[in-house]
Amino acid sequence: MPGYPVLPEGLAYGGDYNPEQWPEEVWREDVRLMREAGVNLVTVGVFNWGLIEPREGEYDFSRLDRILDLLHSAGVYADLATPTSSPPTWFRRRYPGSRLVDREGHVLGGGSRHSFCPSSPDYAAASERIVAALAARYAGHPALAMWHVHNEYGWANAHCYCPASAEAFRAWLRDRYGDVGALNAAWGTTFWGLTYGSFEEVEPPVTAPVGLLTGLQLDFMRFSVDAHIACFRRERETIRRFSDLPVTTNFMIPNCKPMDYWRWAAEVDVVANDHYLDSARADPHIELAMAADLTRSVAGGRPWMLMEHSTGAVNWQPRNLAKRPGEMRRNTLAHVARGSDSAMFFQWRASRYGAEKFHSAMVPHAGTDSRIWRDVVALGADLGRLAGVRGARVTAEVAVVWDWESYWALEFEWRPSADLRFRERIEAYYEALWREHVTVDFVHPSADLSPYRLVVAPSSYLIGEAPAKNLHRYVEAGGHLLVSYFSGIVDENDTIHPGPYPGALREVLGVAVEEFHPLRGHETVALRPPKSSGPESSKHGATGRIWSERVRLAGARAVHEFADGPDAGHPAVTRHDLGAGSAWYVSTALDAESGLRALVAGVLDHAGVSRPRGLPDTLELVRRGDHLFLINHADAPVTVDGVTGTGVLDGAAYGGSATVPAGGVVVVRT
Ligand code: GLA
C-alpha cells in the first residue's frame, strides 16, 4: 500500500480546513491554534474547483500555494483534496448535459454541490483536467501527506436517470450479460410479459405506475456503484501519474446505503470514513461503534482513518443536539479503539456562510473561550499519548454478516411487511452483542469465516448459492451460526430460491417455513419453552414483534415456541446441530430486553466466545493490540477488575482493577 501510514509518527489529528472562506490574517491565527491543539493533518481544497479554475482552462493556484506553504511552515501536513464533488458554476452552464436527473425526471439545480451526473463524459473530461493540473502542481509539495479524492461519493447523486446515464447503464448491461436473453433469464422477465427484445429497450428504473422488476432495480444499483468507482479510478490514476502518496476518498459507512463499500475497499490505499452521531437515538454511541467496526472490516482489519466527525452539533438533522461534556472525547476514542489511526473533524473553523453555518467545528463561532475549544486542545493531548496504538489490530471472535446487495433488495417495494428493514435487525443483534462487551467484525457472506467462533446473520434476505454453501461448510467445520427470520429467501437476482423458505439456508438451519405471518404494527407474540425443553430454553418471558411464521422442524429442534399469535404451539427459536457446529434460527423480532440479550448470551456461551462478566452494559470495552479501552457511557463510575498495566491517558499504574469515572475513558496498556 503506497505510503501508509500517512504521517511519520503518531495518530493524525485535524479536520477539513476551508481558509478560502476567511481573510488571510485569520489563517495565521489558524495555524497558531492548530499547533496549540496538536493538529498535524488538515484536509484542504475540498470545494475549491470554482476558485482554482475560475473560468474553463484558466487556473489560479495563488491562494492554495500560500495555504500549503503556510501549513508546511507550521509543521501541519495537508491531505490535499480534489475539488470534483462541487463543479464550478460555469461548468453547469456550459455543459447542461451533465446535470443530475432524479427518478421523477426533475433536472436538479445548481447553487449546491454534488450536482452532476457521474456518467457524464463532459464531467469526466473536466474533472480529469482539474485533477491533472492540481497533481502536477502539488505532487512534490513538502506539506502533502496524502490525496483525498472528491468528497463522499454517492451521497447526494448516487443515482442519475439522465440520457447519458441510461446509455451507460445499457453498455454496462451488455457487458454483464452479453446477450439480452441472459438478462431476461436473470431478471425473470416472463413476469408481466416484460421480456426485452434488445438492450436498447432497457430504461433505468424511473418512477413507474406500479412495482418495477426487482432485477432491473438491483442491477441499476450495481451499475451506479460502478459509475462512481469509475470516477474515482479516473482521478486516482491521474494523480498516480505525478505522485506516489496514498490516495483515498471519504466513505460514509454505514449511512450511504447506495454505495457497496465491500466493492469500494479495494480501490483506496487507506480506508477513510465520515461518521456523525444520530442524535435522535437513545444510545447513539452504539451505532457509532457499529459504524467503526464495519469500517474496520471494510478495511480488511487494517487501520483506517476517521476523516470526519463532529465536535458538537451537525446542521442537517431535524434537531441538532450539541454533544454533552465528555461526549466528543468518548466518541473520538471509541473510533480509535475500533481501529482508526486518525481523528479528523468536519471542520476546523465554523463557517459563516451558506448551508452549514450552524455546524459545529474545532474553532466554534464563540472562539477559543469556549468548552469546545478547551476540549479540542485536551483531545489533542490525549491523542498524543495514544501514539503507541498506531497500527495495532483489533481481533474479534464474532462476525455479523453485512451485504449491501441484501440491504438494497430487502427494501424494494412490496415485501411481506413494511417493518422488514435491513438495519433494524442488524442493529438489534449488534446492540445485544455490544451490551455483552463482545467486539465484532462484519463480513460478506462469502468471506473466510474460519477465524470466528460465531457468525450472526440478522438480515441476509438475499444470499446466493455460493455464500450459502460457505455458511454451511463453516457450521459443518465447527462454527456456530445464528440467523434471524426472512434470511436466505432470494438469490443474487432477487429470485426466490426453489422450495420452502428459507431456501438457501434450509439445510444448514434444519427448518422449513411454510408461511409467513407478519404481525400488525403494535402486535406482539409471547415465547415459551417447548414441551420437551432442554437447558438452553430455561429463559422465560421473551416477546416478539414484527414477525411470526410457521416453522417446521427438518433436523433442528425447538428451543422456544410461540405461546400465542398465529403460530402458537409451533417453533419460534430452533437449533440444528450439524457436523461439528450448530445453526440457530430465530423467527421473530426479539429486542435486547425482550429476550434477545438472553438468547445471544446463551449462543455466545454455547460457541465458547470469551467476554468479561458482571460489568454494566453501559461500559464499552475494546482491546486494540495491547491497549485496553474502557469507555464509560453512564453517569456513575465503574470499577473493572482484572486490569493491570499503565494508564495511557492518566499515567496511573493499574494493579488489578481500574475505575472509570462517570462519562470518562481509561486506556490501559497491558
Ligand atoms: C459531510 C461532508 C462535509 C460536511 C459534513 C457536515 O460529511 O463531507 O463536507 O458537509 O457532512 O456534517
Side-chain angles (χ1 to χ4, degrees), residues 16 47 113 151-152 250 274 276 308 314-316 346 356 359:
D16 274 29
F47 304 113
R113 61 181 175 184
N151 193 60
E152 295 186 336
N250 44 343
D274 298 348
Y276 292 94
E308 292 180 24
V314 297
N315 61 291
W316 41 264
F346 178 84
E356 297 188 315
H359 197 292

Side-chain angles (χ1 to χ4, degrees), residues 64-65 67-70 72 137-145 245:
L64 196 49
D65 287 350
I67 291 165
L68 289 173
D69 292 348
L70 180 67
H72 180 58
R137 186 167 190 93
Y138 295 115
H141 196 288
L144 247 66
L245 291 175

